[in-house]
Amino acid sequence: MEKAITLEQQNGGLLALSLISSLLDGLDRPLLVAERSGRILHANLRAQQCLDEHGLKLSGTERSNLFADLLRLDACSVFAPLESGEQEVCHSVECQGEPVRLRIRWLPEPNWLVVHLEAPAKVVEDSSLHQTMQDLLREREITYRNLLAAYLRLQEVNRQKTVFLASAAHELKTPLAVMKGYYDLLLSGSLGKLNEKQREILQESKESCERLVRLVSMFLNYSALESGKLVLHIRLNDLRDCIEEIASRWHDAALRKQVRLETHLAPELPPFKFDYQKVQQVIVNLLDNALKHTPAGGRIRITAEPHFWERRATHLVPAVERRRAQASPFNSVKVSVADSGPGVAPEFHQEIFEDFVRVDRSSSGMGLGLAIAKRLIQAHRGKIWVDSEVGRGATFTFLLPTDFE
């Protein structure tokens, strides 16, 4: 028959250890019970968990001593204030660098010590902080998912907008080409002689038609860029021919606005590989922007010259190759379109290259010309920027590498 383990007889009675243990284990507070000698009679489950968390493991209630193992002080320093009338004595022990507070009470009748253990404030704070961090992470995940869903919806709307623009541009392209052909036919005199007034009206109508053709071309380029379907036709071309062809086409438009159009092309400009039509589109967009903002009596100047562009390398270039590159006269071509218009404030120097951005709301246009120019130049692995101050005109410059492959 299994013999029950009992506590020592106190004041003539026996208390079963199993009964006391079950009562103490039911408490929600860490609690120890010890004899006057310090021998620990029982530690409830919460007390054992608290001590384990802080590196204090009881070797067993028969061998563990409150004063020797936990408090590490003499019993007299605990009993002296209790016997003098103090209800409880508080002591702290260092456990893994953190203080654990022990509140000791004396039960004179059974001559026991009841010890309440209090977890350090840092543990409670860490637990609260951990819970707060978990809540924040959950909220961040929910916010991220909501933002991702909103972003995907916006992407779909943007795709539909691009598809609509491309469809509209394709529908307009054919009738505009027919209209332009008729204007050229009428102005050539093949269908009859024109008086000065008729020629002037037809010329203005042709220019409006050409403006629509450029707008349609802009939409088509924009939709190709947005959908990632832009194809560059890189061939060996002469940049001088490219710029002179544009200047001759825009000469009359500049004269009618009473703006002087000048070109300064360096004679040492070499032929190099680039997309002739795309680079022309860039210069046309810059020229159209300059002509739009230059008042009568102003000037627009197109310059092109060889340039040495010291680009940042993605890998470490040997010193010998760097010196050889610097010794070469140029590795790119620098093209600038300068005007004598009102200029652009510094805070808009980056913004004006974004889609559908117009700094001057009174001007015509869709705000796509500079954005398309930037993307076309970047497709050539070049760069584009603006130098301008309010009231001092603007100079748009781009670099084209001559070693584009």
Side-chain angles (χ1 to χ4, degrees), residues 318-372:
V320 176
E321 291 186 18
R322 286 203 304 272
R323 285 195 295 270
R324 188 182 299 119
Q326 291 174 0
S328 62
F330 58 86
N331 60 0
S332 63
V333 171
K334 181 179 179 181
V335 181
S336 298
V337 178
D339 63 65
S340 57
V344 182
E347 60 266 26
F348 298 116
H349 284 188
Q350 297 296 326
E351 186 179 352
I352 57 176
F353 290 102
E354 296 177 4
D355 298 343
F356 302 104
V357 171
R358 288 187 301 151
V359 176
D360 184 4
R361 297 293 179 182
S362 62
S363 64
S364 61
M366 297 293 294
L368 284 175
L370 296 178
I372 291 174

Coordinates of all heavy atoms in Angstrom, one line a residue, residues 318-372:
P318 N 39.7 48.1 -64.4 CA 41.1 48.2 -64.1 C 41.6 49.6 -64.5 O 41.1 50.3 -65.3 CB 41.8 47.2 -65.1 CG 40.7 46.2 -65.4 CD 39.4 47.0 -65.3
A319 N 42.7 50.0 -63.7 CA 43.2 51.4 -63.9 C 43.7 51.7 -65.3 O 43.5 52.8 -65.8 CB 44.3 51.6 -62.9
V320 N 44.3 50.6 -65.9 CA 44.8 50.8 -67.3 C 43.6 51.1 -68.3 O 43.7 52.0 -69.1 CB 45.5 49.6 -67.7 CG1 46.0 49.7 -69.2 CG2 46.7 49.3 -66.8
E321 N 42.5 50.4 -68.1 CA 41.3 50.7 -69.0 C 40.7 52.0 -68.7 O 40.3 52.7 -69.6 CB 40.3 49.6 -68.8 CG 40.8 48.2 -69.3 CD 39.7 47.2 -69.2 OE1 38.5 47.6 -69.1 OE2 40.0 46.0 -69.3
R322 N 40.7 52.4 -67.4 CA 40.2 53.8 -67.1 C 41.0 54.9 -67.8 O 40.5 55.8 -68.3 CB 40.1 54.0 -65.6 CG 39.0 53.2 -64.9 CD 38.6 53.8 -63.6 NE 39.8 54.0 -62.7 CZ 40.2 53.0 -61.9 NH1 39.5 51.8 -61.8 NH2 41.2 53.2 -61.1
R323 N 42.3 54.7 -67.7 CA 43.2 55.7 -68.3 C 43.0 55.8 -69.8 O 43.0 56.8 -70.4 CB 44.7 55.5 -67.9 CG 45.0 55.8 -66.4 CD 46.5 55.9 -66.2 NE 47.1 54.6 -66.4 CZ 47.3 53.7 -65.4 NH1 46.9 54.0 -64.2 NH2 47.8 52.5 -65.7
R324 N 42.9 54.6 -70.4 CA 42.7 54.5 -71.8 C 41.4 55.2 -72.2 O 41.3 55.9 -73.3 CB 42.7 53.1 -72.3 CG 42.7 52.9 -73.8 CD 42.7 51.5 -74.3 NE 43.9 50.7 -73.8 CZ 43.8 49.7 -73.0 NH1 42.6 49.3 -72.5 NH2 44.9 49.1 -72.6
A325 N 40.3 55.0 -71.4 CA 39.0 55.6 -71.7 C 39.1 57.1 -71.6 O 38.5 57.8 -72.4 CB 38.0 55.0 -70.8
Q326 N 39.8 57.6 -70.6 CA 39.9 59.0 -70.4 C 40.8 59.7 -71.5 O 40.6 60.8 -71.8 CB 40.5 59.3 -69.0 CG 39.5 58.9 -67.9 CD 40.1 59.1 -66.5 OE1 41.3 59.5 -66.4 NE2 39.4 58.8 -65.5
A327 N 41.7 58.9 -72.0 CA 42.6 59.4 -73.0 C 41.8 59.6 -74.3 O 42.2 60.4 -75.2 CB 43.8 58.5 -73.2
S328 N 40.8 58.8 -74.6 CA 40.0 59.0 -75.8 C 39.3 60.3 -75.8 O 38.9 60.8 -74.8 CB 39.0 57.8 -75.9 OG 38.1 57.8 -74.9
P329 N 39.1 60.9 -77.0 CA 38.6 62.3 -77.0 C 37.1 62.3 -76.6 O 36.7 63.3 -76.0 CB 38.7 62.7 -78.5 CG 38.8 61.4 -79.2 CD 39.5 60.4 -78.3
F330 N 36.3 61.3 -76.9 CA 34.9 61.3 -76.5 C 34.3 59.9 -76.5 O 34.9 59.0 -77.1 CB 34.1 62.2 -77.4 CG 34.2 61.8 -78.9 CD1 33.3 60.9 -79.4 CD2 35.1 62.4 -79.7 CE1 33.4 60.5 -80.7 CE2 35.2 62.1 -81.0 CZ 34.4 61.1 -81.6
N331 N 33.2 59.7 -75.8 CA 32.5 58.4 -75.9 C 31.0 58.6 -76.0 O 30.3 57.7 -75.9 CB 32.9 57.6 -74.6 CG 32.4 58.3 -73.4 OD1 31.9 59.4 -73.4 ND2 32.7 57.7 -72.2
S332 N 30.6 59.9 -76.2 CA 29.2 60.2 -76.4 C 29.0 61.5 -77.2 O 30.0 62.2 -77.5 CB 28.5 60.3 -75.0 OG 29.1 61.4 -74.3
V333 N 27.8 61.8 -77.5 CA 27.4 63.1 -78.1 C 26.5 63.8 -77.3 O 25.5 63.3 -76.7 CB 26.8 62.8 -79.5 CG1 26.3 64.1 -80.1 CG2 27.8 62.2 -80.5
K334 N 26.7 65.1 -77.1 CA 25.9 66.0 -76.3 C 25.1 66.9 -77.2 O 25.6 67.6 -78.0 CB 26.8 66.8 -75.4 CG 26.1 67.8 -74.4 CD 27.1 68.5 -73.6 CE 26.5 69.5 -72.6 NZ 27.5 70.2 -71.8
V335 N 23.8 66.8 -77.0 CA 22.8 67.6 -77.8 C 22.0 68.5 -76.8 O 21.5 68.0 -75.8 CB 21.9 66.7 -78.6 CG1 20.9 67.6 -79.4 CG2 22.7 65.8 -79.5
S336 N 21.9 69.8 -77.2 CA 21.2 70.7 -76.3 C 20.2 71.5 -77.2 O 20.5 71.9 -78.3 CB 22.1 71.7 -75.6 OG 23.0 71.0 -74.8
V337 N 19.0 71.8 -76.6 CA 18.0 72.7 -77.2 C 17.8 73.8 -76.2 O 17.2 73.6 -75.1 CB 16.7 72.0 -77.5 CG1 15.7 72.9 -78.1 CG2 17.0 70.8 -78.5
A338 N 18.3 75.0 -76.5 CA 18.2 76.1 -75.5 C 17.2 77.2 -76.1 O 17.1 77.4 -77.3 CB 19.5 76.8 -75.3
D339 N 16.4 77.7 -75.2 CA 15.4 78.8 -75.6 C 15.5 80.0 -74.7 O 16.2 79.9 -73.7 CB 14.0 78.2 -75.5 CG 13.6 77.8 -74.1 OD1 13.5 78.7 -73.3 OD2 13.3 76.6 -73.9
S340 N 14.9 81.1 -75.1 CA 15.0 82.3 -74.3 C 13.6 82.6 -73.7 O 13.2 83.7 -73.6 CB 15.4 83.5 -75.2 OG 14.5 83.6 -76.4
G341 N 12.9 81.5 -73.3 CA 11.6 81.7 -72.7 C 11.6 82.0 -71.3 O 12.6 82.5 -70.7
P342 N 10.5 81.8 -70.5 CA 10.4 82.3 -69.1 C 11.2 81.4 -68.2 O 11.4 81.8 -67.0 CB 8.9 82.1 -68.8 CG 8.4 81.1 -69.8 CD 9.2 81.3 -71.1
G343 N 11.6 80.2 -68.6 CA 12.4 79.4 -67.8 C 11.6 78.5 -66.9 O 10.4 78.6 -66.8
V344 N 12.3 77.6 -66.2 CA 11.6 76.6 -65.3 C 12.2 76.7 -63.9 O 13.4 76.7 -63.7 CB 11.8 75.2 -65.8 CG1 11.1 74.1 -64.9 CG2 11.3 75.0 -67.3
A345 N 11.3 76.8 -62.9 CA 11.8 76.9 -61.5 C 12.5 75.7 -61.1 O 12.2 74.6 -61.6 CB 10.6 77.2 -60.6
P346 N 13.6 75.8 -60.3 CA 14.4 74.6 -59.9 C 13.6 73.4 -59.3 O 13.9 72.3 -59.5 CB 15.4 75.1 -58.9 CG 15.5 76.6 -59.2 CD 14.1 77.0 -59.7
E347 N 12.5 73.8 -58.6 CA 11.7 72.7 -57.9 C 11.0 71.8 -58.9 O 10.4 70.7 -58.6 CB 10.7 73.3 -56.9 CG 9.7 74.2 -57.5 CD 10.1 75.7 -57.4 OE1 11.4 75.9 -57.3 OE2 9.3 76.6 -57.4
F348 N 10.9 72.3 -60.2 CA 10.2 71.5 -61.3 C 11.1 70.8 -62.2 O 10.7 70.2 -63.2 CB 9.2 72.4 -62.1 CG 8.1 73.0 -61.2 CD1 8.1 74.4 -61.1 CD2 7.2 72.2 -60.6 CE1 7.1 75.0 -60.4 CE2 6.2 72.8 -59.9 CZ 6.1 74.2 -59.7
H349 N 12.4 70.8 -62.0 CA 13.4 70.3 -62.9 C 13.3 68.8 -63.1 O 13.5 68.2 -64.1 CB 14.8 70.6 -62.5 CG 15.2 72.1 -62.8 ND1 16.5 72.5 -62.6 CD2 14.4 73.1 -63.2 CE1 16.5 73.8 -62.9 NE2 15.3 74.2 -63.3
Q350 N 12.8 68.1 -62.0 CA 12.6 66.6 -62.1 C 11.2 66.3 -62.5 O 10.9 65.4 -63.3 CB 13.0 65.9 -60.8 CG 14.4 66.1 -60.4 CD 15.4 65.4 -61.3 OE1 15.0 64.3 -61.9 NE2 16.6 65.9 -61.5
E351 N 10.3 67.1 -62.0 CA 8.8 66.8 -62.2 C 8.4 66.9 -63.7 O 7.5 66.2 -64.1 CB 8.0 67.8 -61.3 CG 6.5 67.5 -61.3 CD 5.8 68.4 -60.4 OE1 6.5 69.2 -59.7 OE2 4.5 68.4 -60.5
I352 N 9.0 67.8 -64.4 CA 8.6 68.0 -65.8 C 8.8 66.8 -66.7 O 8.3 66.8 -67.8 CB 9.2 69.3 -66.4 CG1 10.8 69.2 -66.4 CG2 8.8 70.6 -65.7 CD1 11.5 70.3 -67.0
F353 N 9.7 65.9 -66.3 CA 9.9 64.7 -67.1 C 9.0 63.6 -66.7 O 9.1 62.4 -67.2 CB 11.4 64.2 -66.9 CG 12.4 65.2 -67.5 CD1 13.1 66.0 -66.7 CD2 12.6 65.2 -68.9 CE1 14.0 66.9 -67.3 CE2 13.5 66.0 -69.4 CZ 14.2 66.9 -68.6
E354 N 8.0 63.8 -65.9 CA 7.0 62.8 -65.5 C 5.8 62.8 -66.5 O 5.5 63.9 -67.1 CB 6.6 62.9 -64.1 CG 7.7 62.7 -63.1 CD 7.2 63.0 -61.7 OE1 6.0 63.2 -61.4 OE2 8.1 63.0 -60.8
D355 N 5.0 61.8 -66.5 CA 3.9 61.6 -67.4 C 2.8 62.7 -67.1 O 2.4 62.8 -65.9 CB 3.3 60.2 -67.3 CG 4.3 59.2 -67.8 OD1 5.3 59.5 -68.4 OD2 4.0 58.0 -67.5
F356 N 2.3 63.3 -68.1 CA 1.1 64.2 -68.0 C 1.3 65.4 -67.0 O 0.4 65.8 -66.3 CB -0.2 63.4 -67.5 CG -0.5 62.3 -68.5 CD1 -0.3 61.0 -68.1 CD2 -1.1 62.6 -69.7 CE1 -0.6 60.0 -69.0 CE2 -1.4 61.5 -70.6 CZ -1.2 60.2 -70.2
V357 N 2.6 65.8 -66.9 CA 2.9 67.0 -66.0 C 3.1 68.2 -66.9 O 3.9 68.2 -67.8 CB 4.1 66.7 -65.2 CG1 4.6 68.0 -64.5 CG2 3.9 65.6 -64.2
R358 N 2.4 69.3 -66.6 CA 2.5 70.6 -67.2 C 2.7 71.6 -66.2 O 1.8 71.9 -65.3 CB 1.3 70.9 -68.1 CG 1.1 70.1 -69.3 CD 0.0 70.6 -70.2 NE -1.3 70.6 -69.5 CZ -2.2 71.4 -69.7 NH1 -2.1 72.3 -70.6 NH2 -3.4 71.3 -69.0
V359 N 3.9 72.2 -66.2 CA 4.2 73.3 -65.2 C 3.4 74.5 -65.5 O 2.8 75.2 -64.6 CB 5.7 73.6 -65.2 CG1 6.0 74.8 -64.2 CG2 6.5 72.4 -64.8
D360 N 3.3 74.9 -66.8 CA 2.5 76.1 -67.2 C 1.1 75.6 -67.7 O 1.0 75.0 -68.8 CB 3.2 76.8 -68.4 CG 2.5 78.0 -68.8 OD1 1.5 78.4 -68.2 OD2 3.0 78.7 -69.8
R361 N 0.1 75.8 -66.8 CA -1.2 75.2 -67.1 C -1.8 76.0 -68.3 O -2.8 75.4 -68.9 CB -2.1 75.4 -65.9 CG -1.6 74.6 -64.7 CD -1.7 73.1 -64.9 NE -1.3 72.3 -63.8 CZ -1.3 71.0 -63.8 NH1 -1.7 70.3 -64.9 NH2 -0.8 70.4 -62.7
S362 N -1.4 77.2 -68.6 CA -2.0 77.9 -69.7 C -1.5 77.4 -71.1 O -2.1 77.8 -72.1 CB -1.6 79.4 -69.6 OG -0.2 79.6 -69.7
S363 N -0.4 76.6 -71.1 CA 0.1 76.2 -72.4 C -0.7 75.0 -72.9 O -1.3 74.3 -72.1 CB 1.6 75.8 -72.3 OG 1.8 74.8 -71.4
S364 N -0.6 74.7 -74.2 CA -1.3 73.6 -74.8 C -0.4 72.3 -74.6 O 0.8 72.4 -74.3 CB -1.6 73.8 -76.3 OG -0.4 74.1 -77.0
G365 N -1.0 71.2 -74.9 CA -0.2 70.0 -74.8 C -0.8 69.0 -73.8 O -1.6 69.4 -72.9
M366 N -0.3 67.8 -73.8 CA -0.7 66.7 -72.9 C 0.2 66.5 -71.8 O 0.0 65.7 -70.9 CB -1.0 65.4 -73.6 CG -2.1 65.5 -74.7 SD -3.7 65.8 -73.9 CE -3.9 64.3 -73.1
G367 N 1.4 67.1 -71.8 CA 2.4 66.8 -70.8 C 3.1 65.5 -71.0 O 3.6 64.9 -70.0
L368 N 3.2 65.1 -72.2 CA 3.9 63.8 -72.5 C 5.2 63.9 -73.3 O 6.0 63.0 -73.3 CB 2.9 62.9 -73.3 CG 1.8 62.2 -72.6 CD1 0.9 61.4 -73.6 CD2 2.3 61.3 -71.5
G369 N 5.4 65.1 -73.9 CA 6.6 65.3 -74.7 C 7.9 65.0 -74.0 O 8.7 64.2 -74.5
L370 N 8.1 65.6 -72.9 CA 9.4 65.5 -72.2 C 9.5 64.1 -71.5 O 10.5 63.5 -71.5 CB 9.5 66.6 -71.1 CG 9.6 68.0 -71.6 CD1 9.7 69.0 -70.4 CD2 10.8 68.2 -72.5
A371 N 8.3 63.5 -71.1 CA 8.3 62.2 -70.5 C 8.7 61.2 -71.5 O 9.6 60.3 -71.3 CB 6.9 61.9 -69.9
I372 N 8.2 61.3 -72.8 CA 8.6 60.4 -73.8 C 10.0 60.6 -74.2 O 10.8 59.6 -74.4 CB 7.7 60.5 -75.0 CG1 6.2 60.1 -74.7 CG2 8.2 59.8 -76.3 CD1 5.2 60.3 -75.7

